[in-house]
Amino acid sequence: MIVLDTTVLVYAVGADHPLREPCQLLIRAIADGTIQATTTIDVIQEFTHVRARRRGRKDAAELARDFIELLSPLLIVEEPDLREGLRLFPEGTGFGSFDAVLAAAAHAAGAEALVSADTGFSGIAAIRHVVPDADGVRGLLGALTT
């Protein structure tokens, strides 16, 4: 099981971008059951906020509901995850507190990887970070489907 960060969702349904196609490939692999993935309520909320600024509230809410269905059951962030994230947060400079808590929750859930275009995750030793570019997605699909 992998955990997706907001960036994967944004690029998968966004405008033309080098990460759009690999993110779409990953989302299709999740939809067809090739790979198991989840995310958190906070990631879905952040996606909705970002998408609504660009495409409107109705579009954002519809896509967010689709992602809830695709990625359910969602990963629940518990108090120990928050505490661990806050322990990790001061150890690095390339990631924010949201990222540290997401990484802690992914690690606690036993995720194989956290997928994000945000390179700050690579500074968190507790979880394997995969950039959702062509090589990263191909590597994920090969490693988790064999």
Side-chain angles (χ1 to χ4, degrees):
M1 180 263 299
I2 61 171
V3 174
L4 304 183
D5 180 39
T6 312
T7 58
V8 176
L9 308 182
V10 169
Y11 286 128
V13 297
D16 190 36
H17 186 277
L19 296 179
R20 182 179 182 188
E21 196 170 308
C23 288
Q24 288 175 338
L25 176 63
L26 182 56
I27 295 298
R28 283 193 301 273
I30 295 164
D32 70 19
T34 302
I35 192 166
Q36 184 182 23
T38 189
T39 195
T40 65
I41 290 169
D42 295 320
V43 166
I44 299 286
Q45 182 277 327
E46 184 177 45
F47 164 80
T48 307
H49 175 76
V50 169
R51 181 71 180 192
R53 289 189 321 208
R54 295 182 175 113
R55 303 290 175 112
R57 289 174 176 250
K58 182 178 179 189
D59 174 79
E62 287 173 0
L63 286 171
R65 283 190 289 273
D66 290 345
F67 282 132
I68 291 168
E69 292 303 315
L70 178 69
L71 300 168
S72 286
L74 297 178
L75 182 61
I76 304 300
V77 177
E78 303 277 352
E79 182 180 329
D81 304 321
L82 176 59
R83 290 182 182 282
E84 177 62 9
L86 292 176
R87 187 193 68 73
L88 293 170
F89 179 65
E91 294 178 4
T93 58
F95 55 88
S97 60
F98 177 91
D99 299 339
V101 173
L102 180 60
H107 175 74
E112 301 277 338
L114 195 154
V115 184
S116 177
D118 184 344
T119 58
F121 282 107
S122 63
I124 302 175
I127 190 75
R128 177 177 159 227
H129 171 236
V130 175
V131 175
D133 59 11
D135 291 337
V137 170
R138 198 170 23 255
L140 271 177
L141 294 177
L144 297 177
T145 59
T146 56

